């Protein structure tokens, strides 16, 4: 059974492509399972394990392999400590990667030296450079600490216009009301986190095609620790922002915003946890699953399960839309036409 269509279909694999016509000499590898296009994590940062350690090719390979073994066959890295090296795309055993180059951080708005530190005056030029040197994306740290100003709207708007002019796309980190507002008004292609998002901006996001990547699992994992912390303005602001995130995710989905699954956390390969959070926020199970599979692949420019599509798919013994916990336990993983797990 193929999702999302819920149709009984048969595919053959010819090289690294799916075919609907029989391929001579084919070997049966999956029978009677639920088939999904390869899973997607649209917000993950493989290659680093902490801010104290440098970007590492060894860590990058291991973490991408963790994604792959969990059925995540396409990842988007919205910012890294270093540009993703070319060998990743040349390795058939690793997931497909869509990168955004290095994080772009203006003074005081990120961990010093962890991304690419640029002045506000140089931000437009740097954004175009990162988009051109990556998979067409760039990532701007649009805000940082509570009570401190976000990247000004006019600068962020200029970034979006310049990157769009070369055919690129802009992701914006935003965790304050001003940062989320500016990202939407500037026409960013995706809000990363979107904490403190004004619900009145959701219809505008839908109209202009701004996607919402709320990374609920990483926030949810830290919520109890925040509540137990010493009272402060920053703590109270964070908790207020978290309280609004699940209702905003549901409202965004209902308004037609593209809501996508991204983990922003370690270990890699846990996108099933993010899907569970999207369901908890109020998304129907099929929509939450699509946010980590067919909808995410389409948003990143790849088809689902169709004749001529890349042979990237995962198989399950049970219907993951009826039992979302099954998503963490694929029975078969096929990447570029090869059985890898």
């Amino acid at each position: 059974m193929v999702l999302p269509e819920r149709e009984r279909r048969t595919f053959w694999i010819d090289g690294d492509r799916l075919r609907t016509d029989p391929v001579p000499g084919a070997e049966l590898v999956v029978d009677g399972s639920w088939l999904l296009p390869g899973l997607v994590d649209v917000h993950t940062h493989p290659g680093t394990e902490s801010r104290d350690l440098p970007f590492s090719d060894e860590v990058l390979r291991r973490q991408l392999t963790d994604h792959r073994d969990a059925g995540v066959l396409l990842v988007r890295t919205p910012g890294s400590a270093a540009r993703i090296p070319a060998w990743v795309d040349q390795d058939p055993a690793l997931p497909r990667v869509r990168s955004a180059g290095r994080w772009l951080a203006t003074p005081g708005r990120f961990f010093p030296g962890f991304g690419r530190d640029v002045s506000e005056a140089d931000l437009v030029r740097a954004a175009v450079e990162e988009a051109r040197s990556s998979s067409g994306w760039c990532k701007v740290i649009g805000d940082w600490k509570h009570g401190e100003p976000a990247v000004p709207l006019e600068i962020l708007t200029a970034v979006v216009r310049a990157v769009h002019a070369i055919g690129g796309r802009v992701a914006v980190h935003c965790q304050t009301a001003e940062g989320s507002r500016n990202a939407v008004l500037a026409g960013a292609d995706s809000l990363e986190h979107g904490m403190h998002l004004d619900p009145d901006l959701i219809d505008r996001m839908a109209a202009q095609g701004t996607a919402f990547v709320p990374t609920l699992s990483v926030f949810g994992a830290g919520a109890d620790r925040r509540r137990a912390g010493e009272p402060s303005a920053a703590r109270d602001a964070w908790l207020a922002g978290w309280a609004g995130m699940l209702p905003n995710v549901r409202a965004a989905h209902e308004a037609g915003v593209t809501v996508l699954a991204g983990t922003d956390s370690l270990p890699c390969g846990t996108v099933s946890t993010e899907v569970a959070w999207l369901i908890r926020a109020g998304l129907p199970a099929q929509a939450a699953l699509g946010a980590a599979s067919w909808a995410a692949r389409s948003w990143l420019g790849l088809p689902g399960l169709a004749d001529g599509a890349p042979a990237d798919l995962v198989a399950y013994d049970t219907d993951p839309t009826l039992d979302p916990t099954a998503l963490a336990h694929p029975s078969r993983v096929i990447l570029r036409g090869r059985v890898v797990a």
Side-chain angles (χ1 to χ4, degrees):
M1 192 74 74
V2 172
L3 290 173
E5 296 85 0
R6 307 187 73 83
E7 297 175 352
R8 293 187 181 276
R9 299 168 67 186
T10 300
F11 290 104
W12 284 261
I13 295 175
D14 184 8
D16 65 350
R17 297 285 144 176
L18 288 178
R19 298 299 175 193
T20 53
D21 291 330
V23 173
E27 175 186 353
L28 182 67
V29 294
V30 176
D31 185 25
S33 296
W34 291 84
L35 299 181
L36 276 70
L39 301 183
V40 186
D41 189 333
V42 301
H43 189 125
T44 180
H45 304 291
T48 53
E49 293 182 297
S50 77
R51 296 189 300 275
D52 302 323
L53 297 173
F55 186 93
S56 161
D57 283 8
E58 178 184 354
V59 171
L60 176 63
R61 183 181 296 278
R62 172 164 46 81
Q63 291 178 336
L64 287 174
T65 301
D66 290 343
H67 275 304
R68 183 204 69 191
D69 291 348
V72 178
L73 306 183
L74 173 63
V75 303
R76 182 186 64 142
T77 64
S80 297
R83 292 173 182 158
I84 300 298
W87 60 259
V88 170
D89 286 335
Q90 299 163 4
D91 191 330
L94 295 179
R96 302 176 195 272
V97 176
R98 300 292 183 265
S99 69
R102 292 171 289 178
W103 288 288
L104 293 171
T106 48
R109 294 192 179 104
F110 201 43
F111 305 109
F114 197 48
R116 178 178 175 181
D117 297 323
V118 298
S119 67
E120 289 185 352
D122 286 338
L123 185 58
V124 172
R125 177 182 57 81
V128 170
E129 289 176 354
E130 293 301 324
R132 279 181 168 154
S133 66
S134 66
S135 301
W137 281 90
C138 71
K139 167 76 172 290
V140 176
I141 305 299
D143 59 21
W144 197 233
K145 295 181 180 179
H146 167 71
E148 297 183 358
V151 173
L153 175 59
E154 60 273 18
I155 295 177
L156 199 55
T157 301
V159 166
V160 172
R161 287 175 178 167
V163 173
H164 283 180
I166 63 163
R169 301 167 86 181
V170 181
V172 179
H173 163 103
C174 40
Q175 287 184 232
T176 69
E178 183 188 15
S180 293
R181 169 186 172 274
N182 287 358
V184 175
L185 296 184
D189 296 281
S190 66
L191 262 65
E192 310 297 319
H193 316 305
M195 186 175 266
H196 293 283
L197 173 66
D198 183 345
D200 289 341
L201 293 171
I202 288 174
D203 285 341
R204 179 164 180 157
M205 291 174 64
Q208 68 191 22
T210 297
F212 191 8
V213 187
T215 63
L216 295 174
S217 49
V218 71
F219 286 113
D224 288 342
R225 175 178 53 82
R226 291 276 187 165
R227 291 189 189 96
E230 289 293 324
S232 67
R235 167 188 171 275
D236 293 346
W238 191 97
L239 291 174
W242 169 240
M245 287 195 72
L246 269 64
N248 273 349
V249 168
R250 178 173 181 172
H253 169 72
E254 292 175 347
V257 173
T258 298
V259 177
L260 298 169
T263 58
D264 192 29
S265 62
L266 297 174
C268 291
T270 58
V271 77
S272 60
T273 303
E274 184 67 15
V275 170
W277 272 102
L278 293 176
I279 293 171
R280 183 172 175 179
L283 268 66
Q286 181 147 320
L289 185 52
S293 180
W294 55 86
R297 293 179 76 85
S298 176
W299 186 70
L300 288 170
L302 285 175
L305 301 183
D307 187 66
D312 301 343
L313 61 154
V314 283
Y316 297 89
D317 292 333
T318 57
D319 181 354
T321 66
L322 298 180
D323 178 15
T325 63
L327 200 63
H329 307 288
S331 59
R332 187 76 79 191
V333 178
I334 299 173
L335 172 63
R336 295 182 174 91
R338 300 169 59 236
V339 176
V340 294

